[in-house]
Amino acid sequence: MAPITVAVHRPAAPDRWVELTMNLRPVADGEAFVAYAPGFRCEIAPADAEAAGYDDEVWKAGVVSGLGFAWRRWLRPDRGVAVAAVRGHLGFGDVEGVAVAAATAARVLLGLSAAEAASDWAQTIPLPV
């Protein structure tokens, strides 16, 4: 399946946003359900001093959190995702936005409703359903 991009933003802080690009992929026994595509890019501009100290692993943890939720609910054991890019403008406490974007993208890739999660984050762009 072709990659899709999902973007979310925090309405209470309009300058905080994240965009995530990923696609479904087959998973062999014992293989991790989340993989990072060749050429993976993590381009998060820090919105505050605390976030300036974060490395890519912090933002990847948000991806894994959101996709872990999706995997437990909707993915079959033989399916996983390949994440191509995470970019945005985020600050301290904004890892939740990455998780919301990841779970939303998984829903879209699986042909489920792209209904918004109950969180402080909202979809930025119309999503295919």
Side-chain angles (χ1 to χ4, degrees):
M1 176 176 268
I4 64 156
T5 299
V6 168
V8 299
H9 69 282
R10 180 178 266 181
D15 68 325
R16 306 288 176 97
W17 60 275
V18 62
E19 185 178 277
L20 186 135
T21 302
M22 66 183 214
N23 64 290
L24 288 176
R25 68 182 182 86
V27 174
D29 283 342
E31 190 178 11
F33 71 97
V34 177
Y36 295 92
F40 167 77
R41 295 181 339 266
C42 185
E43 300 168 348
I44 302 295
D48 53 37
E50 291 88 348
Y54 291 172
D55 63 12
D56 292 356
E57 297 306 311
V58 171
W59 308 116
K60 284 180 170 180
V63 171
V64 171
S65 175
L67 292 176
F69 173 81
W71 189 81
R72 288 186 302 276
R73 291 212 173 352
W74 311 301
L75 285 171
R76 300 185 325 238
D78 64 337
R79 284 184 131 174
V81 296
V83 181
V86 178
R87 55 187 229 68
H89 183 248
L90 300 171
F92 177 76
D94 288 342
V95 174
E96 177 191 17
V98 178
V100 169
T104 301
R107 288 185 64 84
V108 172
L109 284 169
L110 294 169
L112 302 171
S113 164
E116 293 186 44
S119 76
D120 293 337
W121 295 84
Q123 296 166 6
T124 299
I125 57 174
L127 300 171
V129 181

